[in-house]
Amino acid sequence: MRILTVVTFVLLLMHQSFSLSRPQCRSCEQTSCDCSRQNLREVPAAPSKPITELDLSFNRLKAIMKKDFAAYASLQSLIMNNNRIETIQEQAFVPLTNLEKLDLSFNKLDTLSAGWFENLFSLQHLNLLGNTYKMLGQGNLFQPLKRLKTLHFGGPNLQSVRISDFSGLSGLEEVHFDGQNLQAYARGSLRQIGSIKSVTLGLNDTKFFLTFGDRNPPNMDHLEVVVLKNIEVPQFYSFPALFFLEPLLKAVRRLTVLNCKLFAIPCVTSARLSKLEYMDISDNIFTDLAFSQMMCDGKGGPLGLQTINISRNHLQSINSQLFTKLDKLKNIDLSGNMFHSMPETCYWPPTLQFLNLSSTHLRKVTTCLPVSLRILDVSDNALTVFNIHLPFLTELYISGNKLIRLPDGGLYPRLTFLFIQNCGLQTLSSTDLNYYNDLKSLEAGGNTYVCSCDFVAFMTSDLTNHRVTVGDDFKSYICDSPDALRGTSVAEATLSVFECHTSLAFSVLCSGILAVVLLVAGLCHKFSVLWYVKMTWAWLRAKRKPTLKKGELEYDAFVSYSEMDSGWVEAHLVPELEQAEPPLRLCLHKRDFMPGGWILDNIMDAIDKSHRTLFVLSQHFVRSEWCKYELDYTHFRLFDHNDDSVVLILLEPIDKKTIPKKFCKLRRVMNSRTYLEWPDDDNQIPRFWQSLRTAIERPETDNGNCLNEPMGLEVF
Ligand SMILES: *[C@@H]1O[C@H](CO)[C@@H](O)[C@H](O)[C@H]1NC(C)=O
Ligand SMILES: *[C@@H]1O[C@H](CO)[C@@H](O)[C@H](O)[C@H]1NC(C)=O
Ligand SMILES: *[C@@H]1O[C@H](CO)[C@@H](O)[C@H](O)[C@H]1NC(C)=O
């Protein structure tokens, strides 16, 4: 048991020390390890999770051993450039069946072996540049690499290329061939690969046999494409340097001279470029004058040109006349020069379809822009308006300007693609897009959008109604205002109903308030709240006044009656009581109320100054509002004084049940009080008056409580 443990421990230790002996890579992310520039002398231990990318560039690897990649079977990209690799063991890459990219450039490999590549079935990109090999292995080097698309090879030591070197390569798309010291090239070697999209040749001397299978080297009659890039010409100003190219250029259709400090091509030379269709002289130092000379001042030059690219030179003015005679010219790229302005009128060839004026410091566009344009790039200028009618334009690149609004769609009826990012655009709406009938794709991110409800709704739903797709990342549509939404993506902007329907919300709110006010007013009216308030106030005031002594009372009775019953009151009641002996003094509102006084005050005053309050009850009385109030007040007083000052006369029979509910007071008073009834029988009338007088008359002494006696002689 113990022995076993010890053995296990030792084994563990061994295992540990074995893996410890391999360095660790310091920067691994999920599926990739960037172990470049870590002074590694050995391939590091594989991380616990399988990775697909391993960068070992700029280390000190010297030899690649058989087991080095045993734990890296899932690797798709292996970068090992700029090490000191001298040897690679035959079986080293056997586990890497998934490898698509292998970079072994700038090492010290002096021999190449076909055995390395035997298992790399997936390899598409191979870079062997800058090593010390003199030839490409023993032949058939790339035979196993059936999927290879790009191949970079060669270096200062490569001396010869044989036919068999490229056998088996059929799908190759790009070859980069550094043959600066090449001495032997077997004719047709590259040609057997078939058509290759791009070949870059690094050769020391251009007079060297650049033959793609031609019979008579160094015949250049068939050289159609010349690309010169990043060439340092130390004495570039001693211009004849370029003359040596002349014989080379007779048949050339495409000429690219990029970043070579090229500053002139004389008219005589350019005029010979009769077959030239495509000319790219970007990133050089042409001035207006030199360019004008190259174009033979608009009188000649490379007349067959279809595309000219003179971007990023030192031009300062747009001189369309240089192009007028080029009747095949379709594309002009003038981007990256410093024009600041453009002339009002220009003379472009009618064939012109593409014009690139991006990054040229333009502040304004004019009718100089050719009407025939299909594609126009005016990005990254300082335009504030774009309003030139271009009826055939299908693509407009106008990002990076200072437009606040979308250009008027009516001016570009055929526009399909619109790029208007980073323009300070504040909004987009249906109306803006209405005239863009053909628009399919819009890229308008990075603007300073005002996230109004209309705009957010438009972007999140209506846009699709216009059959327009947002070409760029929808997340780049960011709100700049209102403050609450600043920095939020338009897709996530949420606005409250109140913000979105302000006027509607306001009207709803106002109607609500109005309704409540009306309701309250209605209720007040219905329940006579105002009157009650006033009455309570009046009653409180009355309470504070000292109660009048019996002797101070002005009237014997205040008569409360309905206007409709005034006939009876005037014809019967008043004469009978006032002309009696002794006469009783009655208070009638018609006769005795102070004119102009507040009716309620008058009523209260009258009731207070009267010994009794006489209610002439009838159907009319029940219907009269004022009578109700009088009754109410009296009722208040009844509770207040707790005395019997009310006399009820029933002018006609009233069924108590028929009295409307709101006259609950009357009902109560009628219940609690006996009343006198105006008799139908004339014989009873004197008795009625007698009883009434008794009820009203003031007793001689103050303690008289005759009213507590049954006062109604007739009780019904
Ligand atoms: C280019 O070739 C010339 C001889 O033709 C040689 O002197 C020169 O060193 C070569 N240049 C390079 C960079 O190999
Ligand atoms: C012109 O050259 C520039 C820089 O190389 C490139 O970005 C641009 O696409 C070229 N234009 C055309 C029309 O080929
Ligand atoms: C215009 O030129 C710029 C700079 O050379 C380039 O980035 C852009 O892609 C060109 N525009 C078009 C539409 O090709």
Side-chain angles (χ1 to χ4, degrees), residues 238-268:
S238 58
F239 187 70
L242 256 192
F243 278 126
F244 78 93
L245 278 176
E246 259 193 60
L248 192 75
L249 299 179
K250 268 188 301 193
V252 166
R253 287 192 299 113
R254 298 172 67 88
L255 172 63
T256 303
V257 185
L258 279 188
N259 186 24
C260 293
K261 292 218 174 72
L262 188 63
F263 71 96
I265 296 179
C267 174
V268 264

Side-chain angles (χ1 to χ4, degrees), residues 180-181 204-205:
Q180 49 182 292
N181 286 317
N204 185 1
D205 184 343

